[in-house]
Amino acid sequence: MNLRLELPPFVFNVQSSVDFVEKNLNTMYPDSILQNQQKPADYYVSLEKVNGLRKFIRPQASFRFDALEPFKPLPLNHAFASLEWGMNYVVANQSLEYVILHSGIVAKENSAVLLPGPPGSGKSTLTAYLSGRDEWRLLSDEMALILPGTTKVQPFVRPICLKNKSVELVKRWYPDAKFSTTAKNTHKGDVVHFCPSDHSWQNRDKLATVKAIVFPRYDQQVDLEITQLNQNQGFMQLAQNAVNLNLHGQIGFDTIVNLIENCAIFEVVYNNVESVKNFLEQDVL
Amino acid sequence: MKNALITHTKIITILHNVSICCEFTEQDWETAIRVLRHDGLLARTSFQLEKQGLVNNLPHYAQKHLSNAAKLAEKQQSSVVYECNQITKSTNKTSTKFYLLKGAAYVFCHNNTSLGRTFGDIDLLVDKSQISRIEGTLLLHGWLHDDLDDYDNTYYRQWAHEIPPLKHASRGSVIDLHHNLVPPVSGRAPKIELFTENAIACDDFYVLRPAAMTLHSIVHLFFNEEFPHGLRDLNDIHLLITQYESDSFWQDIYTLATTSGFTVELYLACRYSQRFFQTNIPEKITIKLEETRTNRLSILFWDFIFSRVLDTKHPMYATWTKSFAIFIALVRGHYLKMPLPILIRHGLHKSYRELVRLFLGKSFFSKEETPR
């Protein structure tokens, strides 16, 4: 299989002979993206079985960025997840036309909320929930592509990576949605990808403006606790989530400062996603 | 649906006549960018286009990738300058002269070859008598050796022209500390003063004078067994010659090659640089060099190897003769570097280890951690 995926703002050429990778790509990406495009590909990636003895004993698959193999091979069962992560890796390391923040990002119409957080903070779960609500859309669950020197964000709509217990939650919220096969026992736990809403896909080319930065933290004991952060606190936390800040130098720094100066910044501890949504809609946007 | 690839000659042409890019279609660009990125030449192409004011006419797709590559290379170079300054800071009480070699040298003397040149390790040359003192100081300042097994350690210490690489524990920068240009075990190590005399001071470092810098790059490429960046390294030589050429440069490099015993390497460099990039080599020099090489057979042998191993390594342009040439070059390079008895021992040792790794797993030889 050789597919050309036009995933604004990038075009990927994806090659794989692993059958369930192809199946997952067909479930996770809408037809409009899978139709053969004539645009030149920005990045060639592939996911192939490791040859030799490993074809038979505990089979493995390895990700390639063009001819390079940046990671060690992983169990075959992780193939689709590795492909998704590999694509993120390529963008994070190669595309300097954006200041990239490791963060979930969703938008209500064109007003975007950054949701940066460490693994386990519930960032992806919250992103998945918000992205499917009325008038809301997904921009990205992993990387916010900020246009340098502005507060504008380029969507990079892709399947959302859900881990462990959050899979059940999201299935309950969105029973009709499409899910990938499970990659068991990855370094992030059991991982399932979730296909974002049609509305998100339809608007995958439409820029949004970042209006708020919310550092989420899931805590079973706390219904909703909101703390407004000052600019210093916000800056330090946001800079830690910047993927390619060192590559951008001054303009990268200025972009983060500009975001901090133009956004409301909160830390939100929650156990109920709906109350976070209400807070965002009523008090922030 | 395989689209016709842009010819491989066109890709080589970019490296000496960048204006050829102006006629590229988007599809040509797609291939060219993959190949140039793979061979570490995308950033250099970007700077060459910029220098000639050709960037603005290119398709947006090409501009985007060229500018990203240029930014990555600039960042890499600024961190090399930073690391070099850390080295002098750490060793400021020593009066040793540090000579920068290859990539880092190009960057410090801001020559044309430095534009968009990407590289990982910092190659330093110091006087042999100073090596262990400098090594000690660098170790104290966080540049540590990777775990090496006893064989590899002995290999470096007894036979090589450098000590095992030093990697900074937190920043990851790698220093290759040299005391000569080629392994003494080869019997070809030159008197190093021939190369370091008239070195040029750049900040706290020295770089070799143009002829010595060029000849070192030549020796490094042709007196070697592996050519992972063959095309880039040959293009370095083309750019060095093009920038520095003058009567006195050719006089100097020819004399230096003769006294240090590297005329063959100089001959090969001129031959292939001219063949790949139409480098301007004075006829006088070509004739003098040809005189030293009369054996038609060895020229045929070299042409077979070097026209292939110096070519792009992107799998799109892979052929079985290229793989074969790479293998032959590997054997030739080892044979140049080691006397036969040592080479046989080395070969046996390496194949034994590869076999064990194949059957017993990759970590079989990793040193056991001491239990705490």
Side-chain angles (χ1 to χ4, degrees):
Chain A
M1 167 211 75
N2 192 35
L3 284 175
R4 196 151 282 209
L5 298 183
E6 190 182 346
L7 297 167
F10 310 109
V11 179
F12 287 90
N13 192 92
V14 183
Q15 193 171 325
S16 178
S17 56
V18 182
D19 52 358
F20 76 90
V21 168
E22 185 173 4
K23 234 180 263 166
N24 277 313
L25 284 168
N26 283 319
T27 340
M28 286 296 104
Y29 292 98
D31 291 345
S32 58
I33 280 179
L34 294 168
Q35 275 146 18
N36 235 331
Q37 309 283 340
Q38 283 314 306
K39 284 192 188 172
D42 291 300
Y43 305 114
Y44 273 71
V45 295
S46 72
L47 207 293
E48 299 290 3
K49 280 186 195 172
V50 174
N51 278 328
L53 281 179
R54 279 300 194 158
K55 254 192 166 152
F56 311 101
I57 310 163
R58 285 189 291 151
Q60 291 183 321
S62 85
F63 171 81
R64 280 211 171 79
F65 165 40
D66 209 343
L68 295 177
E69 199 179 333
F71 317 113
K72 288 190 178 143
L74 288 167
L76 187 58
N77 170 258
H78 301 179
F80 178 67
S82 329
L83 176 63
E84 289 288 327
W85 295 331
M87 286 159 75
N88 291 340
Y89 160 88
V90 170
V91 168
N93 283 286
Q94 297 287 327
S95 50
L96 278 91
E97 58 270 44
Y98 305 100
V99 173
I100 302 179
L101 303 171
H102 180 231
S103 170
I105 183 156
V106 287
K108 186 172 181 240
E109 281 149 12
N110 293 329
S111 302
V113 182
L114 267 171
L115 300 165
S121 59
K123 156 184 77 104
S124 291
T125 321
L126 187 59
T127 305
Y129 175 79
L130 290 170
S131 69
R133 298 287 105 182
D134 276 351
E135 296 174 38
W136 287 79
R137 62 183 168 116
L138 174 75
L139 303 184
S140 169
D141 87 311
E142 275 288 338
M143 40 176 93
L145 310 180
I146 311 289
L147 274 65
T150 73
T151 53
K152 295 248 181 291
V153 53
Q154 161 71 48
F156 182 31
V157 180
R158 301 266 304 284
I160 299 175
C161 175
L162 301 170
K163 292 131 226 162
N164 305 320
K165 285 183 192 157
S166 65
V167 179
E168 287 315 308
L169 276 175
V170 176
K171 280 189 175 161
R172 212 180 311 145
W173 296 329
Y174 300 107
D176 300 329
K178 292 181 206 157
F179 294 86
S180 73
T181 53
T182 310
K184 283 208 178 343
N185 296 319
T186 74
H187 64 289
K188 300 185 183 196
D190 290 353
V191 164
V192 171
H193 279 82
F194 158 66
C195 178
S197 63
D198 292 345
H199 182 60
S200 304
W201 285 115
Q202 282 149 15
N203 290 287
R204 62 185 182 268
D205 259 329
K206 212 183 271 172
L207 298 190
T209 305
V210 187
K211 296 286 175 152
I213 304 167
V214 172
F215 296 95
R217 186 157 61 81
Y218 177 81
D219 184 335
Q220 211 177 354
Q221 312 297 323
V222 183
D223 188 38
L224 187 66
E225 205 177 272
I226 295 158
T227 320
Q228 183 146 23
L229 299 185
N230 67 34
Q231 294 188 345
N232 286 338
Q233 294 164 320
F235 178 85
M236 293 312 289
Q237 288 204 46
L238 195 60
Q240 280 171 12
N241 287 285
V243 172
N244 58 3
L245 191 57
N246 62 335
L247 297 173
H248 278 290
Q250 186 68 42
I251 183 81
F253 178 84
D254 294 344
T255 307
I256 308 263
V257 170
N258 188 36
L259 276 174
I260 292 292
E261 285 176 348
N262 288 290
C263 292
I265 315 164
F266 303 96
E267 186 177 85
V268 173
V269 188
Y270 67 98
N271 66 5
N272 181 343
V273 284
E274 199 180 340
S275 48
V276 179
K277 173 178 169 266
N278 291 337
F279 159 70
L280 289 172
E281 287 182 338
Q282 285 155 23
D283 300 323
V284 180
L285 299 177
Chain B
M1 38 129 247
K2 257 214 160 145
N3 293 314
L5 289 182
I6 171 177
T7 64
H8 144 270
T9 327
K10 270 194 188 168
I11 292 184
I12 305 293
T13 308
I14 300 173
L15 302 173
H16 61 95
N17 179 14
V18 80
S19 58
I20 193 181
C21 292
C22 297
E23 57 189 60
F24 282 7
T25 64
E26 276 201 336
Q27 206 183 61
D28 293 341
W29 269 116
E30 187 188 277
T31 311
I33 285 169
R34 287 176 72 188
V35 173
L36 294 169
R37 187 192 278 138
H38 184 80
D39 289 319
L41 287 160
L42 189 54
R44 172 168 289 167
T45 307
S46 172
F47 278 99
Q48 296 295 342
L49 283 162
E50 181 108 10
K51 225 168 124 188
Q52 305 207 9
L54 298 172
V55 176
N56 293 333
N57 307 326
L58 304 177
H60 173 74
Y61 168 79
Q63 287 190 32
K64 177 174 81 177
H65 287 287
L66 289 164
S67 123
N68 284 346
K71 278 187 209 161
L72 281 170
E74 275 180 327
K75 166 66 193 163
Q76 212 181 48
Q77 294 197 359
S78 72
S79 51
V80 164
V81 172
Y82 176 85
E83 289 301 327
C84 286
N85 292 332
Q86 295 304 307
I87 294 171
T88 37
K89 236 192 222 170
S90 318
T91 52
N92 62 1
K93 290 201 183 64
T94 65
S95 53
T96 316
K97 280 186 174 177
F98 286 103
Y99 299 93
L100 291 170
L101 301 174
K102 301 196 67 210
Y106 310 150
V107 171
F108 267 73
C109 69
H110 306 290
N111 64 15
N112 286 339
T113 315
S114 74
L115 294 176
R117 174 62 150 77
T118 53
F119 54 97
D121 305 354
I122 299 169
D123 292 310
L124 275 180
L125 174 77
V126 297
D127 192 80
K128 192 168 184 184
S129 62
Q130 304 290 322
I131 281 263
S132 59
R133 207 161 50 84
I134 302 295
E135 182 183 4
T137 314
L138 291 174
L139 282 169
L140 273 179
H141 285 84
W143 279 279
L144 308 176
H145 296 294
D146 269 347
D147 254 354
L148 276 186
D149 61 58
D150 298 338
Y151 180 84
D152 284 341
N153 204 23
T154 318
Y155 173 85
Y156 273 109
R157 304 283 172 182
Q158 280 190 359
W159 298 333
H161 54 305
E162 59 186 323
I163 62 168
L166 289 154
K167 185 174 178 180
H168 196 275
S170 58
R171 298 193 303 271
S173 62
V174 176
I175 303 173
D176 288 333
L177 196 57
H178 299 69
H179 53 78
N180 204 308
L181 306 179
V182 300
V185 70
S186 66
R188 296 274 308 269
K191 211 173 127 213
I192 198 66
E193 290 77 15
L194 293 173
F195 281 81
T196 53
E197 68 184 3
N198 295 326
I200 299 156
C202 284
D203 302 331
D204 295 325
F205 294 91
Y206 286 85
V207 301
L208 306 182
R209 66 185 192 279
M213 181 191 281
T214 310
L215 189 61
H216 172 240
S217 296
I218 288 171
V219 171
H220 195 271
L221 180 60
F222 289 95
F223 192 81
N224 217 334
E225 73 279 10
E226 279 177 331
F227 301 81
H229 303 293
L231 187 59
R232 183 199 66 191
D233 294 346
L234 186 66
N235 194 234
D236 283 354
I237 293 165
H238 163 72
L239 291 174
L240 288 168
I241 292 178
T242 309
Q243 177 169 9
Y244 293 129
E245 66 156 349
S246 69
D247 285 347
S248 60
F249 168 82
W250 284 112
Q251 180 69 49
D252 191 1
I253 200 168
Y254 183 78
T255 315
L256 182 59
T258 318
T259 47
S260 60
F262 290 116
T263 41
V264 176
E265 284 71 18
L266 181 58
Y267 168 76
L268 295 172
C270 291
R271 184 175 179 85
Y272 299 109
S273 186
Q274 198 166 41
R275 194 172 271 201
F276 276 69
F277 308 123
Q278 293 162 24
T279 315
N280 187 16
I281 315 279
E283 211 172 320
K284 243 182 6 201
I285 294 291
T286 324
I287 293 169
K288 266 205 230 172
L289 286 169
E290 298 262 352
E291 277 168 12
T292 60
R293 309 307 319 161
T294 43
N295 187 344
R296 293 289 310 157
L297 214 59
S298 55
I299 293 178
L300 280 176
F301 172 70
W302 286 326
D303 281 353
F304 174 79
I305 296 183
F306 289 116
S307 63
R308 290 173 176 82
V309 299
L310 298 175
D311 199 1
T312 169
K313 296 293 184 312
H314 197 286
M316 267 188 290
Y317 294 98
T319 58
W320 74 266
T321 46
K322 203 187 265 182
S323 313
F324 182 61
I326 290 172
F327 173 72
I328 299 291
L330 186 76
V331 176
R332 169 192 176 264
H334 274 106
Y335 182 68
L336 283 178
K337 280 187 174 175
M338 294 183 203
L340 206 53
I342 294 185
L343 180 58
I344 290 170
R345 203 177 122 194
H346 183 74
L348 284 175
H349 182 84
K350 289 283 171 190
S351 15
Y352 156 70
R353 294 176 68 96
E354 274 312 305
L355 272 178
V356 175
R357 282 206 183 93
L358 191 65
F359 287 109
L360 300 176
K362 278 191 177 147
S363 52
F364 187 77
F365 288 112
S366 309
K367 285 190 179 163
E368 273 177 45
E369 299 215 358
T370 350
R372 287 177 201 181

